[in-house]
Amino acid sequence: MTKIKVLVLSIFTLAAAGVVLFVVISKRPPQYYVRRGIAFGTNVQIAYATKKGNAKVVVDAMFDELERLNEIFNPYVESSELYKLNHSNGKWKEVSPRLLNVIKYSLKFAKYTDDAFDPALGRVVVLWGFNTDDPEKWRLPSPKEISDALKHSGYKNVEIDGNKVRLLNGAWIDLGAIAKGYAVDVLLKMAKLNDPESTGYVDIGGDIGIIGPKYGNKPWKIGVRNPRGDMNDSIAYVYLYKGTIATSGDYERFIIRNGKRYYHIFNPRTGYSPDNFEAITTISTSGILSDAFGTAAMVGGFDKTKKWAKDLGTAYLIVNEKGKVIKSDLWKDYEEP
Ligand code: ADP
Ligand code: MG
C-alpha cells in the first residue's frame, strides 16, 4: 500500500485508520544494522535487527567479543592464551573456561572421527606456512620435515586435569578448524540474550549463523561457492531460518607443486592434505559442529562423512575430487524457501 492510499483511507475512514496504519507500520521491515570488518583474522559481516535497544550497540559489542576471542584462540599472536599454552614447555598450565571447553570439544571430536580431526597439528600447519596470510610463505616441506613435525603433533599429546592443560612432545594446539564456528555460537547467544525475537545473521569468514529469519518469517538465502570458480560463482543455494552453515575446501589456502594441489587441511596420519573432496558445506544447529564436521570430512572421505552425518544429524553438500556434487537427503530440505 502506498503512502497516498494510507492518507486517503485515514481521511475517509477514521475509525479504520488505526488498523490500516498499524498494518502499514508493522509491515515495514525493520532496518538491519549491517557492519562489515576484519575481525578474528577474517572477514566478518553481521546484520542485526531488534526492537529491544539499539542494534548498533549490540553489533559493536559482538565485534569487541571477537577481539577477545582472538586473544584466546589465535595461536599465532604472542599475546594470546593459546600461544602461551603452546609455549609452556610441557608444564601444566591453567586455562580459561572457554579455552578449556573448546579444547575438550576438539578432543571428543578427534576420538569420534577416528583421528581424522586433530586439534594438535600446529607444528604441521606452521611447517607448510598456511598459518600466515602471505602466500609467499606457503611451501612444500620435505618428507623429513613432515615426519619430524608429526613426531611433535597429535591430540594424544594433550592432557587435561581439572582446569589445567599440559602439552607433551612439544605439540602445538591449533583450533583453526573450529574456532570460527565456536565464535558463531558465541555471537548468536549474545544476540538472543539481548532479544530472543531479534533477527539477522553473523558471517565469520564464511561460517554463518542465523540469528533469526528475515522479517515476515522469510529465510536467508545462502549461496555455496563453486570450489573451482570465483567468489560469486555459486553452485547451489539454501534457505535458512535458523542454524549454522560452514564450508571447508581446498581452494582458499593452497599451493600447486608438480601438478598436485596441497592445501591447509591435513591428514593427521601423513601430514599431507587429503584428496577426497574439493569442498564440503555442512548445515547443523551448532556452529562449532558445522565447522568441525567439514574439516573432519575432508580427511575422512565419503563413507565416513555419510555415517557421521547420519549420526549427528548434519546436512551436507560435497563437491568430490572429480567435481561432482553430492547432496545429502537432509540438505535437499533446505533447497526450497
Ligand atoms: P577454514 O580455514 O576455511 O575455516 P577449516 O574449518 O577446514 O577451514 O579449518 C582449517 C584449519 O584447521 C587449518 O588451517 C588448520 O589450522 C586446522 N587443521 C588442519 N587439518 C586439520 C585436521 N585434520 N583436524 C583439525 N584441524 C585441522
Ligand atoms: Mg572447520
Side-chain angles (χ1 to χ4, degrees):
M1 186 173 284
T2 66
K3 270 186 189 153
I4 290 170
K5 270 192 197 151
V6 173
L7 203 67
V8 171
L9 273 175
S10 59
I11 290 167
F12 289 101
T13 56
L14 272 182
V19 177
V20 173
L21 279 178
F22 173 76
V23 171
V24 172
I25 289 165
S26 70
K27 281 215 163 152
R28 192 197 305 143
Q31 290 297 309
Y32 279 97
Y33 176 72
V34 180
R35 181 172 160 188
R36 294 178 192 85
I38 306 273
F40 212 54
T42 188
N43 293 313
V44 174
Q45 178 163 321
I46 300 175
Y48 191 58
T50 172
K51 290 179 182 144
K52 267 176 80 183
N54 182 331
K56 179 180 186 304
V57 171
V58 178
V59 172
D60 288 350
M62 289 178 179
F63 270 83
D64 291 346
E65 183 70 3
L66 288 177
E67 289 297 315
R68 281 191 288 274
L69 291 174
N70 194 53
E71 277 300 307
I72 299 174
F73 292 103
N74 184 343
Y76 307 114
V77 292
E78 293 188 12
S79 53
S80 83
E81 190 182 358
L82 188 50
Y83 180 94
K84 287 172 190 153
L85 174 61
N86 281 344
H87 294 82
S88 56
N89 300 316
K91 296 202 182 69
W92 286 105
K93 190 154 176 52
E94 230 173 80
V95 299
S96 66
R98 303 218 266 190
L99 182 55
L100 186 65
N101 282 340
V102 177
I103 292 175
K104 280 185 177 167
Y105 186 101
S106 73
L107 294 178
K108 253 199 295 187
F109 205 70
K111 286 185 195 112
Y112 174 74
T113 58
D114 300 325
D115 305 3
F117 190 88
D118 195 321
L121 293 181
R123 297 276 183 185
V124 176
V125 175
V126 168
L127 184 62
W128 288 81
F130 289 126
N131 57 310
T132 91
D133 292 329
D134 179 3
E136 300 272 303
K137 302 212 167 95
W138 305 344
R139 58 184 278 268
L140 174 62
S142 72
K144 165 95 171 65
E145 285 176 299
I146 291 175
S147 64
D148 284 348
L150 282 178
K151 283 181 198 140
H152 304 287
S153 300
Y155 72 95
K156 285 172 185 146
N157 292 306
V158 182
E159 292 187 337
I160 297 182
D161 181 14
N163 64 350
K164 294 198 184 73
V165 177
R166 177 165 74 168
L167 300 178
L168 305 175
N169 287 318
W172 281 346
I173 292 181
D174 176 323
L175 298 168
I178 51 170
K180 284 192 284 179
Y182 173 75
V184 165
D185 290 336
V186 170
L187 297 197
L188 291 188
K189 249 185 234 147
M190 284 176 76
K192 289 295 185 186
L193 198 66
N194 174 65
D195 172 7
E197 306 289 311
S198 57
T199 87
Y201 61 84
V202 305
D203 176 350
I204 306 178
D207 279 31
I208 297 172
I210 306 298
I211 298 168
K214 259 193 259 184
Y215 183 76
N217 203 31
K218 296 273 189 331
W220 296 97
K221 181 180 179 184
I222 297 165
V224 176
R225 181 174 161 184
N226 176 355
R228 294 294 176 266
D230 65 27
M231 282 280 278
N232 303 313
D233 179 0
S234 293
I235 52 166
Y237 293 96
V238 285
Y239 298 85
L240 296 187
Y241 292 86
K242 57 184 182 182
T244 69
I245 182 165
T247 298
S248 288
D250 67 2
Y251 55 88
E252 293 266 8
R253 291 178 181 225
F254 68 94
I255 51 172
I256 293 181
R257 294 289 179 274
N258 308 318
K260 192 170 158 42
R261 179 183 290 251
Y262 301 93
Y263 59 99
H264 72 319
I265 296 170
F266 303 101
N267 181 333
R269 291 196 177 92
T270 65
Y272 288 89
S273 43
D275 28 41
N276 293 312
F277 310 144
E278 293 177 359
I280 174 167
T281 301
T282 307
I283 302 172
S284 82
T285 51
S286 131
I288 196 168
L289 174 59
S290 293
D291 198 356
F293 190 95
T295 313
M298 292 293 290
V299 177
F302 184 67
D303 291 343
K304 286 185 175 174
T305 299
K306 209 169 143 182
K307 180 185 167 294
W308 298 334
K310 199 167 163 230
D311 247 31
L312 301 170
T314 55
Y316 62 78
L317 180 151
I318 289 168
V319 182
N320 77 6
E321 76 286 6
K322 298 191 178 93
K324 190 179 156 217
V325 174
I326 305 165
K327 297 166 181 173
S328 71
D329 287 342
L330 264 183
W331 177 277
K332 292 173 190 157
D333 293 348
Y334 295 103
E335 290 194 300
E336 298 293 326

